[in-house]
Amino acid sequence: MPGPVPARRPRRRLNQPREQVLAAAMATIAAEGLDRLTMAGLGREVGMSSGHILYYFGTKDELLLQTLQWSEEQLGTERRAALSRRLPARDRLDALVDLYLPQGHRDPRWTLWLEVWNRSQNADDDARERQLDLELAWHRDLVALLVEGASKGEFKPVDPERFATRTRALLDGFGTHLVVGLPGTDREQVRRHVGEFLDESLTP
């Protein structure tokens, strides 16, 4: 699973009605929380009727999933830019971790992610495949970085697929603690735990 996407305004004008709705949904979650997100409220934000919004999305579950996909597209652009910088692989790995983790309690992107996954227990195969695609985008980038770091002697050789799977599970666990506000857990503490794990596992 995967810093708060709503704070990052889209870099281009939102001309399409669908994209206007997705941006408004993410902004509502950021400002007021997921409970305040309704079709009627979104309609007022973008100047549409709730029926018009249902025309684009069909159900609230579909709206939430498409909003998550949209937010991940924004973050994916930032992630790819961070990973393409001319920096040591370890520094870029820290940047990936920083983007992956929530900013803290009630981070809107993570709040949405958890809600979508909770609702997916009864989702159809297509929706579950689309969720998996979001996970795999992070996984592929992490695997590629591990392979690059090992090839240059910056990382100890590991099975990149297995290591990436375990690392994402670690980040998901810590990220869940952060977004629900588990007492005694803060972001800097989590970053130290993850950093120590990566140093112990990857330092040649």
PDB file of all heavy atoms in Angstrom, residues 142-175:
ATOM      1  N   LEU A 142      10.190  -1.121  -6.980  1.00  0.00           N
ATOM      2  CA  LEU A 142      11.075  -1.554  -5.896  1.00  0.00           C
ATOM      3  C   LEU A 142      12.004  -2.671  -6.371  1.00  0.00           C
ATOM      4  O   LEU A 142      13.205  -2.644  -6.088  1.00  0.00           O
ATOM      5  CB  LEU A 142      10.239  -2.022  -4.708  1.00  0.00           C
ATOM      6  CG  LEU A 142      10.997  -2.540  -3.481  1.00  0.00           C
ATOM      7  CD1 LEU A 142      12.045  -1.538  -3.005  1.00  0.00           C
ATOM      8  CD2 LEU A 142      10.016  -2.865  -2.360  1.00  0.00           C
ATOM      9  N   VAL A 143      11.466  -3.632  -7.113  1.00  0.00           N
ATOM     10  CA  VAL A 143      12.301  -4.718  -7.647  1.00  0.00           C
ATOM     11  C   VAL A 143      13.394  -4.167  -8.551  1.00  0.00           C
ATOM     12  O   VAL A 143      14.562  -4.547  -8.453  1.00  0.00           O
ATOM     13  CB  VAL A 143      11.428  -5.743  -8.406  1.00  0.00           C
ATOM     14  CG1 VAL A 143      12.304  -6.693  -9.229  1.00  0.00           C
ATOM     15  CG2 VAL A 143      10.574  -6.543  -7.431  1.00  0.00           C
ATOM     16  N   ALA A 144      13.021  -3.254  -9.444  1.00  0.00           N
ATOM     17  CA  ALA A 144      14.006  -2.676 -10.368  1.00  0.00           C
ATOM     18  C   ALA A 144      15.116  -1.954  -9.618  1.00  0.00           C
ATOM     19  O   ALA A 144      16.294  -2.042  -9.986  1.00  0.00           O
ATOM     20  CB  ALA A 144      13.312  -1.721 -11.339  1.00  0.00           C
ATOM     21  N   LEU A 145      14.774  -1.257  -8.555  1.00  0.00           N
ATOM     22  CA  LEU A 145      15.774  -0.534  -7.778  1.00  0.00           C
ATOM     23  C   LEU A 145      16.697  -1.502  -7.042  1.00  0.00           C
ATOM     24  O   LEU A 145      17.910  -1.274  -6.968  1.00  0.00           O
ATOM     25  CB  LEU A 145      15.079   0.398  -6.784  1.00  0.00           C
ATOM     26  CG  LEU A 145      15.983   1.326  -5.966  1.00  0.00           C
ATOM     27  CD1 LEU A 145      16.850   2.203  -6.876  1.00  0.00           C
ATOM     28  CD2 LEU A 145      15.136   2.198  -5.045  1.00  0.00           C
ATOM     29  N   LEU A 146      16.160  -2.587  -6.525  1.00  0.00           N
ATOM     30  CA  LEU A 146      16.983  -3.592  -5.847  1.00  0.00           C
ATOM     31  C   LEU A 146      17.964  -4.242  -6.821  1.00  0.00           C
ATOM     32  O   LEU A 146      19.136  -4.461  -6.497  1.00  0.00           O
ATOM     33  CB  LEU A 146      16.094  -4.657  -5.214  1.00  0.00           C
ATOM     34  CG  LEU A 146      15.225  -4.207  -4.035  1.00  0.00           C
ATOM     35  CD1 LEU A 146      14.195  -5.283  -3.696  1.00  0.00           C
ATOM     36  CD2 LEU A 146      16.091  -3.891  -2.817  1.00  0.00           C
ATOM     37  N   VAL A 147      17.471  -4.542  -8.015  1.00  0.00           N
ATOM     38  CA  VAL A 147      18.339  -5.149  -9.036  1.00  0.00           C
ATOM     39  C   VAL A 147      19.447  -4.178  -9.426  1.00  0.00           C
ATOM     40  O   VAL A 147      20.621  -4.567  -9.533  1.00  0.00           O
ATOM     41  CB  VAL A 147      17.501  -5.557 -10.270  1.00  0.00           C
ATOM     42  CG1 VAL A 147      18.416  -5.952 -11.422  1.00  0.00           C
ATOM     43  CG2 VAL A 147      16.551  -6.696  -9.916  1.00  0.00           C
ATOM     44  N   GLU A 148      19.097  -2.918  -9.636  1.00  0.00           N
ATOM     45  CA  GLU A 148      20.102  -1.920 -10.000  1.00  0.00           C
ATOM     46  C   GLU A 148      21.143  -1.757  -8.901  1.00  0.00           C
ATOM     47  O   GLU A 148      22.353  -1.730  -9.169  1.00  0.00           O
ATOM     48  CB  GLU A 148      19.426  -0.581 -10.273  1.00  0.00           C
ATOM     49  CG  GLU A 148      20.419   0.530 -10.640  1.00  0.00           C
ATOM     50  CD  GLU A 148      19.781   1.910 -10.659  1.00  0.00           C
ATOM     51  OE1 GLU A 148      18.546   2.005 -10.732  1.00  0.00           O
ATOM     52  OE2 GLU A 148      20.535   2.912 -10.582  1.00  0.00           O
ATOM     53  N   GLY A 149      20.688  -1.638  -7.658  1.00  0.00           N
ATOM     54  CA  GLY A 149      21.613  -1.445  -6.550  1.00  0.00           C
ATOM     55  C   GLY A 149      22.571  -2.613  -6.390  1.00  0.00           C
ATOM     56  O   GLY A 149      23.768  -2.419  -6.125  1.00  0.00           O
ATOM     57  N   ALA A 150      22.059  -3.826  -6.566  1.00  0.00           N
ATOM     58  CA  ALA A 150      22.917  -5.001  -6.452  1.00  0.00           C
ATOM     59  C   ALA A 150      23.916  -5.070  -7.607  1.00  0.00           C
ATOM     60  O   ALA A 150      25.087  -5.426  -7.416  1.00  0.00           O
ATOM     61  CB  ALA A 150      22.060  -6.263  -6.412  1.00  0.00           C
ATOM     62  N   SER A 151      23.473  -4.704  -8.807  1.00  0.00           N
ATOM     63  CA  SER A 151      24.366  -4.771  -9.967  1.00  0.00           C
ATOM     64  C   SER A 151      25.535  -3.805  -9.849  1.00  0.00           C
ATOM     65  O   SER A 151      26.611  -4.042 -10.403  1.00  0.00           O
ATOM     66  CB  SER A 151      23.580  -4.491 -11.247  1.00  0.00           C
ATOM     67  OG  SER A 151      23.187  -3.128 -11.321  1.00  0.00           O
ATOM     68  N   LYS A 152      25.331  -2.710  -9.123  1.00  0.00           N
ATOM     69  CA  LYS A 152      26.382  -1.708  -8.939  1.00  0.00           C
ATOM     70  C   LYS A 152      27.179  -1.913  -7.653  1.00  0.00           C
ATOM     71  O   LYS A 152      28.065  -1.109  -7.333  1.00  0.00           O
ATOM     72  CB  LYS A 152      25.760  -0.309  -8.929  1.00  0.00           C
ATOM     73  CG  LYS A 152      25.140   0.092 -10.261  1.00  0.00           C
ATOM     74  CD  LYS A 152      24.523   1.485 -10.184  1.00  0.00           C
ATOM     75  CE  LYS A 152      23.958   1.919 -11.525  1.00  0.00           C
ATOM     76  NZ  LYS A 152      23.309   3.260 -11.456  1.00  0.00           N
ATOM     77  N   GLY A 153      26.856  -2.968  -6.929  1.00  0.00           N
ATOM     78  CA  GLY A 153      27.570  -3.240  -5.696  1.00  0.00           C
ATOM     79  C   GLY A 153      27.128  -2.381  -4.521  1.00  0.00           C
ATOM     80  O   GLY A 153      27.755  -2.422  -3.456  1.00  0.00           O
ATOM     81  N   GLU A 154      26.051  -1.631  -4.688  1.00  0.00           N
ATOM     82  CA  GLU A 154      25.561  -0.791  -3.587  1.00  0.00           C
ATOM     83  C   GLU A 154      24.727  -1.597  -2.600  1.00  0.00           C
ATOM     84  O   GLU A 154      24.641  -1.227  -1.418  1.00  0.00           O
ATOM     85  CB  GLU A 154      24.718   0.360  -4.144  1.00  0.00           C
ATOM     86  CG  GLU A 154      25.484   1.323  -5.035  1.00  0.00           C
ATOM     87  CD  GLU A 154      24.586   2.438  -5.558  1.00  0.00           C
ATOM     88  OE1 GLU A 154      23.869   3.032  -4.729  1.00  0.00           O
ATOM     89  OE2 GLU A 154      24.608   2.700  -6.767  1.00  0.00           O
ATOM     90  N   PHE A 155      24.080  -2.665  -3.078  1.00  0.00           N
ATOM     91  CA  PHE A 155      23.273  -3.530  -2.231  1.00  0.00           C
ATOM     92  C   PHE A 155      23.861  -4.933  -2.215  1.00  0.00           C
ATOM     93  O   PHE A 155      24.425  -5.391  -3.215  1.00  0.00           O
ATOM     94  CB  PHE A 155      21.836  -3.627  -2.738  1.00  0.00           C
ATOM     95  CG  PHE A 155      21.040  -2.352  -2.641  1.00  0.00           C
ATOM     96  CD1 PHE A 155      19.952  -2.151  -3.483  1.00  0.00           C
ATOM     97  CD2 PHE A 155      21.346  -1.374  -1.708  1.00  0.00           C
ATOM     98  CE1 PHE A 155      19.207  -0.989  -3.401  1.00  0.00           C
ATOM     99  CE2 PHE A 155      20.603  -0.207  -1.623  1.00  0.00           C
ATOM    100  CZ  PHE A 155      19.533  -0.017  -2.467  1.00  0.00           C
ATOM    101  N   LYS A 156      23.677  -5.604  -1.118  1.00  0.00           N
ATOM    102  CA  LYS A 156      23.989  -7.023  -1.041  1.00  0.00           C
ATOM    103  C   LYS A 156      23.006  -7.781  -1.937  1.00  0.00           C
ATOM    104  O   LYS A 156      21.815  -7.438  -1.972  1.00  0.00           O
ATOM    105  CB  LYS A 156      23.864  -7.479   0.413  1.00  0.00           C
ATOM    106  CG  LYS A 156      24.228  -8.917   0.659  1.00  0.00           C
ATOM    107  CD  LYS A 156      24.395  -9.168   2.160  1.00  0.00           C
ATOM    108  CE  LYS A 156      23.135  -8.828   2.922  1.00  0.00           C
ATOM    109  NZ  LYS A 156      23.286  -9.096   4.377  1.00  0.00           N
ATOM    110  N   PRO A 157      23.455  -8.784  -2.669  1.00  0.00           N
ATOM    111  CA  PRO A 157      22.527  -9.527  -3.529  1.00  0.00           C
ATOM    112  C   PRO A 157      21.406 -10.179  -2.715  1.00  0.00           C
ATOM    113  O   PRO A 157      21.655 -10.824  -1.698  1.00  0.00           O
ATOM    114  CB  PRO A 157      23.423 -10.590  -4.185  1.00  0.00           C
ATOM    115  CG  PRO A 157      24.796 -10.012  -4.134  1.00  0.00           C
ATOM    116  CD  PRO A 157      24.865  -9.247  -2.842  1.00  0.00           C
ATOM    117  N   VAL A 158      20.182  -9.975  -3.149  1.00  0.00           N
ATOM    118  CA  VAL A 158      19.009 -10.609  -2.544  1.00  0.00           C
ATOM    119  C   VAL A 158      18.100 -11.063  -3.676  1.00  0.00           C
ATOM    120  O   VAL A 158      18.267 -10.646  -4.826  1.00  0.00           O
ATOM    121  CB  VAL A 158      18.242  -9.628  -1.624  1.00  0.00           C
ATOM    122  CG1 VAL A 158      19.082  -9.223  -0.423  1.00  0.00           C
ATOM    123  CG2 VAL A 158      17.775  -8.393  -2.403  1.00  0.00           C
ATOM    124  N   ASP A 159      17.156 -11.933  -3.348  1.00  0.00           N
ATOM    125  CA  ASP A 159      16.115 -12.271  -4.315  1.00  0.00           C
ATOM    126  C   ASP A 159      15.189 -11.058  -4.379  1.00  0.00           C
ATOM    127  O   ASP A 159      14.435 -10.793  -3.434  1.00  0.00           O
ATOM    128  CB  ASP A 159      15.343 -13.510  -3.842  1.00  0.00           C
ATOM    129  CG  ASP A 159      14.268 -13.940  -4.830  1.00  0.00           C
ATOM    130  OD1 ASP A 159      13.632 -13.057  -5.445  1.00  0.00           O
ATOM    131  OD2 ASP A 159      14.044 -15.146  -4.975  1.00  0.00           O
ATOM    132  N   PRO A 160      15.220 -10.293  -5.462  1.00  0.00           N
ATOM    133  CA  PRO A 160      14.499  -9.015  -5.466  1.00  0.00           C
ATOM    134  C   PRO A 160      12.988  -9.159  -5.331  1.00  0.00           C
ATOM    135  O   PRO A 160      12.342  -8.333  -4.688  1.00  0.00           O
ATOM    136  CB  PRO A 160      14.897  -8.380  -6.800  1.00  0.00           C
ATOM    137  CG  PRO A 160      15.328  -9.506  -7.650  1.00  0.00           C
ATOM    138  CD  PRO A 160      15.936 -10.514  -6.735  1.00  0.00           C
ATOM    139  N   GLU A 161      12.413 -10.184  -5.933  1.00  0.00           N
ATOM    140  CA  GLU A 161      10.971 -10.372  -5.840  1.00  0.00           C
ATOM    141  C   GLU A 161      10.544 -10.671  -4.398  1.00  0.00           C
ATOM    142  O   GLU A 161       9.601 -10.068  -3.874  1.00  0.00           O
ATOM    143  CB  GLU A 161      10.515 -11.512  -6.758  1.00  0.00           C
ATOM    144  CG  GLU A 161      10.628 -11.208  -8.246  1.00  0.00           C
ATOM    145  CD  GLU A 161       9.524 -10.265  -8.719  1.00  0.00           C
ATOM    146  OE1 GLU A 161       8.505 -10.094  -7.991  1.00  0.00           O
ATOM    147  OE2 GLU A 161       9.652  -9.709  -9.820  1.00  0.00           O
ATOM    148  N   ARG A 162      11.240 -11.594  -3.770  1.00  0.00           N
ATOM    149  CA  ARG A 162      10.900 -11.957  -2.392  1.00  0.00           C
ATOM    150  C   ARG A 162      11.158 -10.786  -1.439  1.00  0.00           C
ATOM    151  O   ARG A 162      10.352 -10.497  -0.548  1.00  0.00           O
ATOM    152  CB  ARG A 162      11.708 -13.178  -1.954  1.00  0.00           C
ATOM    153  CG  ARG A 162      11.274 -14.479  -2.609  1.00  0.00           C
ATOM    154  CD  ARG A 162      12.287 -15.592  -2.390  1.00  0.00           C
ATOM    155  NE  ARG A 162      12.499 -15.877  -0.976  1.00  0.00           N
ATOM    156  CZ  ARG A 162      11.753 -16.713  -0.248  1.00  0.00           C
ATOM    157  NH1 ARG A 162      10.723 -17.324  -0.811  1.00  0.00           N
ATOM    158  NH2 ARG A 162      12.035 -16.953   1.012  1.00  0.00           N
ATOM    159  N   PHE A 163      12.282 -10.107  -1.640  1.00  0.00           N
ATOM    160  CA  PHE A 163      12.615  -9.002  -0.743  1.00  0.00           C
ATOM    161  C   PHE A 163      11.612  -7.858  -0.901  1.00  0.00           C
ATOM    162  O   PHE A 163      11.203  -7.234   0.090  1.00  0.00           O
ATOM    163  CB  PHE A 163      14.032  -8.508  -1.015  1.00  0.00           C
ATOM    164  CG  PHE A 163      14.544  -7.563   0.035  1.00  0.00           C
ATOM    165  CD1 PHE A 163      15.155  -8.046   1.186  1.00  0.00           C
ATOM    166  CD2 PHE A 163      14.407  -6.190  -0.117  1.00  0.00           C
ATOM    167  CE1 PHE A 163      15.619  -7.180   2.167  1.00  0.00           C
ATOM    168  CE2 PHE A 163      14.861  -5.314   0.854  1.00  0.00           C
ATOM    169  CZ  PHE A 163      15.474  -5.811   2.003  1.00  0.00           C
ATOM    170  N   ALA A 164      11.213  -7.572  -2.139  1.00  0.00           N
ATOM    171  CA  ALA A 164      10.233  -6.509  -2.365  1.00  0.00           C
ATOM    172  C   ALA A 164       8.894  -6.861  -1.725  1.00  0.00           C
ATOM    173  O   ALA A 164       8.227  -5.990  -1.133  1.00  0.00           O
ATOM    174  CB  ALA A 164      10.062  -6.267  -3.863  1.00  0.00           C
ATOM    175  N   THR A 165       8.477  -8.127  -1.831  1.00  0.00           N
ATOM    176  CA  THR A 165       7.214  -8.543  -1.223  1.00  0.00           C
ATOM    177  C   THR A 165       7.250  -8.357   0.287  1.00  0.00           C
ATOM    178  O   THR A 165       6.306  -7.831   0.893  1.00  0.00           O
ATOM    179  CB  THR A 165       6.926 -10.014  -1.563  1.00  0.00           C
ATOM    180  OG1 THR A 165       6.761 -10.145  -2.989  1.00  0.00           O
ATOM    181  CG2 THR A 165       5.662 -10.499  -0.873  1.00  0.00           C
ATOM    182  N   ARG A 166       8.357  -8.755   0.905  1.00  0.00           N
ATOM    183  CA  ARG A 166       8.460  -8.642   2.359  1.00  0.00           C
ATOM    184  C   ARG A 166       8.571  -7.184   2.791  1.00  0.00           C
ATOM    185  O   ARG A 166       8.011  -6.780   3.818  1.00  0.00           O
ATOM    186  CB  ARG A 166       9.669  -9.443   2.842  1.00  0.00           C
ATOM    187  CG  ARG A 166       9.497 -10.948   2.653  1.00  0.00           C
ATOM    188  CD  ARG A 166      10.768 -11.706   2.950  1.00  0.00           C
ATOM    189  NE  ARG A 166      10.561 -13.151   2.809  1.00  0.00           N
ATOM    190  CZ  ARG A 166      11.513 -14.058   2.945  1.00  0.00           C
ATOM    191  NH1 ARG A 166      12.760 -13.666   3.246  1.00  0.00           N
ATOM    192  NH2 ARG A 166      11.250 -15.348   2.813  1.00  0.00           N
ATOM    193  N   THR A 167       9.271  -6.394   2.010  1.00  0.00           N
ATOM    194  CA  THR A 167       9.413  -4.974   2.352  1.00  0.00           C
ATOM    195  C   THR A 167       8.070  -4.264   2.274  1.00  0.00           C
ATOM    196  O   THR A 167       7.730  -3.448   3.141  1.00  0.00           O
ATOM    197  CB  THR A 167      10.428  -4.293   1.420  1.00  0.00           C
ATOM    198  OG1 THR A 167      11.698  -4.937   1.559  1.00  0.00           O
ATOM    199  CG2 THR A 167      10.581  -2.820   1.762  1.00  0.00           C
ATOM    200  N   ARG A 168       7.296  -4.558   1.240  1.00  0.00           N
ATOM    201  CA  ARG A 168       5.978  -3.924   1.128  1.00  0.00           C
ATOM    202  C   ARG A 168       5.067  -4.355   2.270  1.00  0.00           C
ATOM    203  O   ARG A 168       4.269  -3.550   2.778  1.00  0.00           O
ATOM    204  CB  ARG A 168       5.339  -4.258  -0.218  1.00  0.00           C
ATOM    205  CG  ARG A 168       5.998  -3.548  -1.390  1.00  0.00           C
ATOM    206  CD  ARG A 168       5.203  -3.674  -2.671  1.00  0.00           C
ATOM    207  NE  ARG A 168       4.958  -5.050  -3.055  1.00  0.00           N
ATOM    208  CZ  ARG A 168       3.780  -5.656  -3.021  1.00  0.00           C
ATOM    209  NH1 ARG A 168       2.709  -5.004  -2.586  1.00  0.00           N
ATOM    210  NH2 ARG A 168       3.658  -6.914  -3.414  1.00  0.00           N
ATOM    211  N   ALA A 169       5.174  -5.623   2.693  1.00  0.00           N
ATOM    212  CA  ALA A 169       4.367  -6.075   3.826  1.00  0.00           C
ATOM    213  C   ALA A 169       4.758  -5.321   5.097  1.00  0.00           C
ATOM    214  O   ALA A 169       3.903  -4.945   5.908  1.00  0.00           O
ATOM    215  CB  ALA A 169       4.543  -7.578   4.025  1.00  0.00           C
ATOM    216  N   LEU A 170       6.063  -5.083   5.273  1.00  0.00           N
ATOM    217  CA  LEU A 170       6.537  -4.304   6.415  1.00  0.00           C
ATOM    218  C   LEU A 170       5.983  -2.885   6.365  1.00  0.00           C
ATOM    219  O   LEU A 170       5.483  -2.354   7.373  1.00  0.00           O
ATOM    220  CB  LEU A 170       8.068  -4.278   6.411  1.00  0.00           C
ATOM    221  CG  LEU A 170       8.754  -3.478   7.518  1.00  0.00           C
ATOM    222  CD1 LEU A 170       8.590  -4.174   8.863  1.00  0.00           C
ATOM    223  CD2 LEU A 170      10.242  -3.297   7.201  1.00  0.00           C
ATOM    224  N   LEU A 171       6.056  -2.265   5.201  1.00  0.00           N
ATOM    225  CA  LEU A 171       5.554  -0.909   5.047  1.00  0.00           C
ATOM    226  C   LEU A 171       4.033  -0.842   5.238  1.00  0.00           C
ATOM    227  O   LEU A 171       3.519   0.113   5.830  1.00  0.00           O
ATOM    228  CB  LEU A 171       5.928  -0.366   3.667  1.00  0.00           C
ATOM    229  CG  LEU A 171       7.421  -0.170   3.405  1.00  0.00           C
ATOM    230  CD1 LEU A 171       7.663   0.205   1.943  1.00  0.00           C
ATOM    231  CD2 LEU A 171       8.006   0.886   4.326  1.00  0.00           C
ATOM    232  N   ASP A 172       3.327  -1.850   4.748  1.00  0.00           N
ATOM    233  CA  ASP A 172       1.878  -1.871   4.926  1.00  0.00           C
ATOM    234  C   ASP A 172       1.508  -1.969   6.409  1.00  0.00           C
ATOM    235  O   ASP A 172       0.575  -1.303   6.871  1.00  0.00           O
ATOM    236  CB  ASP A 172       1.263  -3.041   4.166  1.00  0.00           C
ATOM    237  CG  ASP A 172       1.214  -2.808   2.663  1.00  0.00           C
ATOM    238  OD1 ASP A 172       1.402  -1.654   2.239  1.00  0.00           O
ATOM    239  OD2 ASP A 172       0.987  -3.784   1.924  1.00  0.00           O
ATOM    240  N   GLY A 173       2.238  -2.803   7.142  1.00  0.00           N
ATOM    241  CA  GLY A 173       1.954  -2.937   8.570  1.00  0.00           C
ATOM    242  C   GLY A 173       2.205  -1.644   9.322  1.00  0.00           C
ATOM    243  O   GLY A 173       1.342  -1.164  10.077  1.00  0.00           O
ATOM    244  N   PHE A 174       3.370  -1.064   9.122  1.00  0.00           N
ATOM    245  CA  PHE A 174       3.678   0.203   9.773  1.00  0.00           C
ATOM    246  C   PHE A 174       2.738   1.313   9.297  1.00  0.00           C
ATOM    247  O   PHE A 174       2.310   2.159  10.087  1.00  0.00           O
ATOM    248  CB  PHE A 174       5.127   0.613   9.503  1.00  0.00           C
ATOM    249  CG  PHE A 174       6.125  -0.008  10.439  1.00  0.00           C
ATOM    250  CD1 PHE A 174       7.239  -0.678   9.939  1.00  0.00           C
ATOM    251  CD2 PHE A 174       5.975   0.096  11.809  1.00  0.00           C
ATOM    252  CE1 PHE A 174       8.168  -1.238  10.799  1.00  0.00           C
ATOM    253  CE2 PHE A 174       6.906  -0.458  12.671  1.00  0.00           C
ATOM    254  CZ  PHE A 174       8.005  -1.130  12.175  1.00  0.00           C
ATOM    255  N   GLY A 175       2.441   1.321   7.990  1.00  0.00           N
ATOM    256  CA  GLY A 175       1.570   2.350   7.451  1.00  0.00           C
ATOM    257  C   GLY A 175       0.178   2.296   8.059  1.00  0.00           C
ATOM    258  O   GLY A 175      -0.423   3.341   8.364  1.00  0.00           O
TER     259      GLY A 175
END
